[in-house]
Amino acid sequence: MEKILYSLREIEAVASRVLGEARGKTLLFHGDMGVGKTTLIKAMALKLGVGDMTGSPTFGLVHEYRDKDGLPVYHFDFYRIEDETEALDMGVEEYLYSGDWLFIEWPEKIGGLLPEDAVDIYMEELEDGRRALSF
Amino acid sequence: MTGLITGTGIKCLPLQAATFIPKIHMKEQKTYILAIESSCDDTSAAVLLNGKVLSNVVATQKIHEEYGGVVPELASRAHQQNIVPVVHTALNKANIGKKELSAIAFTSGPGLLGSLLVGTSFAKSLALALHIPLIEVNHMQAHILAHFIEDQGQDKPSFPFLAMTISGGHTQIIRADGFFDMTVIGETIDDAVGEAFDKSAKILGLPYPGGPLIDRYAREGNPGAFAFPKPKVDGLDFSFSGLKTSILYFVRKHQKEDPAFVEHHLKDICASIQYTIVNILMDKLKKASKETGIRQIAIGGGVSANSGIREALKKGEKKYGWKTYIPKFEYTTDNAAMIGITGYLKYLENDFSSQNVTAKARFKV
């Protein structure tokens, strides 16, 4: 597993690379709070042609964007979920098997529900403030 | 005429047709609206009579018990389990039967699609079965129109006014020129303000939802003890995700010197975080008021309970001549009463939906 080291200035290139090289459209972002998961996901959404990232206020669980072709791109944040039942209650399965781009933060919280072919992306902060990403 | 007495099928039709038409035209009569809200976590139902709330029920375990418990094999999702008992309880508390209803209002968006679908399908089916009009409601409009619920014993804003909706899911400033003439002039580009409170609390090790706890500790702390940077966002939009990261770095840095830093300074940290968040909100609100020349400010959403925000609004009244409005707390969080008042106002304008109406995860005001 190759590690990509990057700083915030290089985020656009990293976003393109993840989109181009990931083997699947369900991406699981692992990393501590503040490591930059949301920032990377927003950069990736921009690359997909998402123009408007507002207007989907759903308690942070899922933000639904539209790419340049009008197709949905889903951005999940399961940080506040306590168990998988809560995710089932919101109908997460429909999203997980939709075939659309899925960017998922805190996937550990719904580990048992995730599709087998989901791509794990690991992010960590380095001593010098740069980030290391591997998938 | 004999058909009216003998066959129930024939008996029903003329009666319903006879009651359906006058209800729409005789607006001064009693208008009962059943309202259903299922946009996010909670399933809620309310019954309103001419803008007055007769019942406003949120699904709880107690309702399930009174109704005979949850039947898990019938429903895999919370809303599906909740919707029938909640509507049943709302009608019972309002002391009316479903045949007396004039129309059914429901949240069609924005929200979680799976959750919205439950309320939408239920409302459509019931309206069809009762042969009464169906009214779709935008959840964000409803948060603002909650100010017009009749029984609150307080002044209502008059148009035009600025509405700021602040909750765990929303942060918006809206210019309201009429009940259904609203424009979003500012909103968050990332986290909602309630999320900012909850995530900050999580960094401090407080349990979820930590927003109210931050408020409680903040009241005894010094808001000037620590300084956190405010985001630079153009116009009237908000951003809260950077604050979370700066709090994280701040805590980490101080914990290197004192592992119990958070415990030692909890009240001051909470007060400083709250001070920063309230300032971010107030800066944009001041800007919005200045740019539009509007000084009536109506607040909605669960975060309106925050004491720091309430104090800042009071200051705004003295300093900038604002007149501020906050509804009763039960009408600020997600609730069906606000869907009901919006439904009633739409009913008065004959603004009904057809059976083709669908749930919309994204639904602009």
Side-chain angles (χ1 to χ4, degrees):
Chain A
M1 210 155 36
E2 188 196 351
K3 269 196 179 174
I4 305 172
L5 307 183
Y6 67 97
S7 63
L8 194 58
R9 284 183 288 124
E10 300 158 302
I11 192 124
E12 278 197 44
V14 176
S16 298
R17 205 167 148 191
V18 175
L19 285 170
E21 295 177 17
R23 287 198 202 115
K25 290 174 85 177
T26 302
L27 310 185
L28 315 177
F29 293 82
H30 303 270
D32 294 337
M33 194 180 269
V35 77
K37 297 184 292 294
T38 309
T39 310
L40 178 60
I41 289 169
K42 296 243 163 182
M44 290 168 63
L46 280 176
K47 287 279 166 203
L48 291 172
V50 172
D52 181 7
M53 292 203 210
T54 60
S56 177
T58 46
F59 270 90
L61 271 179
V62 53
H63 294 266
E64 183 180 335
Y65 313 135
R66 296 283 158 173
D67 71 7
K68 59 182 187 311
D69 301 317
L71 297 171
V73 175
Y74 298 106
H75 172 191
F76 288 89
D77 183 345
F78 287 114
Y79 91 99
R80 76 178 176 91
I81 291 264
E82 280 178 10
D83 59 56
E84 289 174 0
T85 322
E86 280 183 54
L88 285 175
D89 282 345
M90 65 161 272
V92 71
E93 287 161 304
E94 265 169 54
Y95 295 98
L96 290 178
Y97 297 95
S98 64
D100 298 310
W101 278 106
L102 303 176
F103 302 144
I104 302 177
E105 298 189 48
W106 304 103
E108 305 80 11
K109 300 266 187 155
I110 60 155
L113 305 174
L114 294 166
E116 298 255 312
D117 57 353
V119 180
D120 289 295
I121 294 175
Y122 299 93
M123 298 173 70
E124 57 180 320
E125 188 188 348
L126 303 176
E127 285 287 323
D128 62 6
R130 287 188 303 163
R131 305 297 198 258
L133 178 146
S134 54
F135 65 95
Chain B
M1 287 305 286
T2 47
L4 281 174
I5 304 155
T6 53
T8 45
I10 304 167
K11 190 178 163 189
C12 275
L13 282 172
L15 273 178
Q16 283 198 337
T19 49
F20 182 66
I21 299 157
K23 269 187 190 166
I24 293 178
H25 294 291
M26 294 159 68
K27 296 273 158 84
E28 65 283 3
Q29 296 290 313
K30 284 184 174 179
T31 302
Y32 289 100
I33 306 273
L34 169 68
I36 293 164
E37 150 68 28
S38 70
S39 66
C40 193
D41 289 347
D42 295 328
T43 326
S44 171
V47 176
L48 277 77
L49 168 58
N50 297 352
K52 252 188 163 157
V53 178
L54 299 182
S55 64
N56 184 28
V57 182
V58 179
T60 58
Q61 197 53 44
K62 195 160 170 279
I63 285 173
H64 283 297
E65 280 159 19
E66 283 170 7
Y67 195 73
V70 176
V71 188
E73 64 269 27
L74 288 183
S76 60
R77 291 184 192 157
H79 287 293
Q80 285 174 335
Q81 293 170 1
N82 293 337
I83 190 108
V84 172
V86 142
V87 168
H88 195 82
T89 310
L91 288 169
N92 277 350
K93 284 198 171 165
N95 205 17
I96 66 155
K98 56 184 182 295
K99 295 241 162 83
E100 291 169 75
L101 292 172
S102 315
I104 298 177
F106 68 100
T107 307
S108 65
L112 294 167
L113 199 55
S115 306
L116 291 166
L117 276 172
V118 177
T120 304
S121 317
F122 184 89
K124 283 164 80 167
S125 318
L126 190 58
L128 195 63
L130 295 173
H131 197 54
I132 54 174
L134 184 65
I135 302 168
E136 73 165 318
V137 170
N138 179 307
H139 180 93
M140 298 309 296
Q141 253 179 10
H143 265 301
I144 295 166
L145 296 178
H147 288 273
F148 296 92
I149 293 172
E150 289 290 349
D151 55 338
Q152 302 189 72
Q154 55 195 34
D155 291 349
K156 296 171 192 162
S158 54
F159 299 107
F161 62 86
L162 294 178
M164 185 163 78
T165 305
I166 42 177
S167 71
H170 321 292
T171 308
Q172 281 190 332
I173 302 179
I174 287 175
R175 180 194 163 110
D177 288 287
F179 289 129
F180 301 104
D181 182 4
M182 298 183 187
T183 319
V184 178
I185 56 175
E187 65 189 317
T188 181
I189 56 168
D190 42 55
D191 292 350
V193 60
E195 267 183 280
F197 271 112
D198 289 338
K199 287 188 174 173
S200 305
K202 191 187 162 115
I203 294 170
L204 301 180
L206 300 173
Y208 181 88
L213 286 173
I214 290 197
D215 189 14
R216 199 198 301 164
Y217 291 119
R219 287 177 216 198
E220 294 167 32
N222 170 13
F226 307 105
F228 296 106
K230 281 196 282 181
K232 291 181 185 68
V233 187
D234 289 343
L236 297 171
D237 285 341
F238 300 93
S239 167
F240 290 102
S241 71
L243 177 66
K244 166 190 77 190
T245 311
S246 61
I247 293 169
L248 181 76
Y249 287 170
F250 163 84
V251 167
R252 218 191 267 166
K253 191 180 96 192
H254 286 277
Q255 276 175 340
K256 274 184 191 158
E257 295 146 24
D258 173 11
F261 174 76
V262 172
E263 291 76 32
H264 288 154
H265 301 277
L266 187 59
K267 289 171 182 170
D268 286 346
I269 298 171
C270 287
S272 304
I273 291 173
Q274 177 146 315
Y275 177 80
T276 308
I277 293 178
V278 170
N279 261 336
I280 293 171
L281 292 173
M282 287 304 141
D283 282 355
K284 297 290 174 156
L285 199 51
K286 272 185 253 171
K287 195 168 180 215
S289 172
K290 207 173 162 194
E291 282 178 9
T292 58
I294 298 171
R295 281 187 279 184
Q296 284 196 90
I297 316 264
I299 307 294
V303 179
S304 63
N306 179 279
S307 67
I309 286 161
R310 286 178 178 246
E311 262 170 49
L313 289 169
K314 280 216 186 81
K315 264 187 209 156
E317 295 202 330
K318 282 192 197 119
K319 208 167 162 189
Y320 309 108
W322 288 353
K323 176 97 177 83
T324 63
Y325 304 85
I326 302 178
K328 271 193 199 166
F329 183 70
E330 69 225 66
Y331 302 144
T332 62
T333 52
D334 287 356
N335 67 90
M338 70 182 194
I339 305 302
I341 187 69
T342 310
Y344 177 62
L345 293 166
K346 283 189 152 190
Y347 184 94
L348 295 179
E349 296 192 1
N350 280 332
D351 186 358
F352 302 120
S353 309
S354 81
Q355 278 285 333
N356 294 328
V357 67
T358 52
K360 310 159 184 73
R362 296 165 67 86
F363 188 8
K364 298 273 180 181
V365 163

